[in-house]
């Protein structure tokens, strides 16, 4: 029989939305500020494309996971861990 492991805790959708905004706002603000000297003559669609090509991977792979990890650590310290997903057991064979 294989040992059952608990799935990781998942914050609520409201916490995830707040974390995403906390990651998005400063990155977009900084990106717009950094691109301003170069993109004055660019069409808005090109500016948006370049900004999103740079920021989406940064957010998805680095910033949001780091912020979620911090949120979970804070919640654990306060004793308010989010509910874990239900465990699914596979039937054991005799």
């Amino acid at each position: 029989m294989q040992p059952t492991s608990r799935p990781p805790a998942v914050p609520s959708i409201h916490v995830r939305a707040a974390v995403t905004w906390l990651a998005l706002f400063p990155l977009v603000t900084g990106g717009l500020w950094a691109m301003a000297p170069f993109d004055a003559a660019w069409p808005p669609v090109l500016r948006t494309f370049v900004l999103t090509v740079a920021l989406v991977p940064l957010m998805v792979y680095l910033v949001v996971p780091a912020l979620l990890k911090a949120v979970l650590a804070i919640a654990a310290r306060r004793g308010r861990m989010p509910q874990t997903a239900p465990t699914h057991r596979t039937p054991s064979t005799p």
Side-chain angles (χ1 to χ4, degrees):
M1 184 192 263
Q2 295 177 346
T4 59
S5 62
R6 297 190 101 185
V10 177
S12 74
I13 191 148
H14 306 298
V15 171
R16 288 181 285 160
V19 165
T20 301
W21 184 85
L22 283 172
L24 182 67
F25 181 77
L27 287 175
V28 169
T29 303
L32 288 171
W33 179 77
M35 287 176 47
F38 309 106
D39 70 354
W42 295 3
V45 172
L46 180 59
R47 269 187 255 157
T48 304
F49 176 76
V50 170
L51 190 63
T52 56
V53 163
L55 295 186
V56 168
L58 183 66
M59 282 189 49
V60 169
Y61 295 112
L62 296 175
V63 179
V64 171
L67 287 174
L68 284 174
K69 189 175 181 180
V71 166
L72 288 174
I74 291 168
R77 232 180 285 147
R78 290 183 175 181
R80 291 190 238 166
M81 285 298 292
Q83 294 180 351
T84 58
T87 57
H88 298 288
R89 293 186 178 182
T90 57
S92 58
T93 55

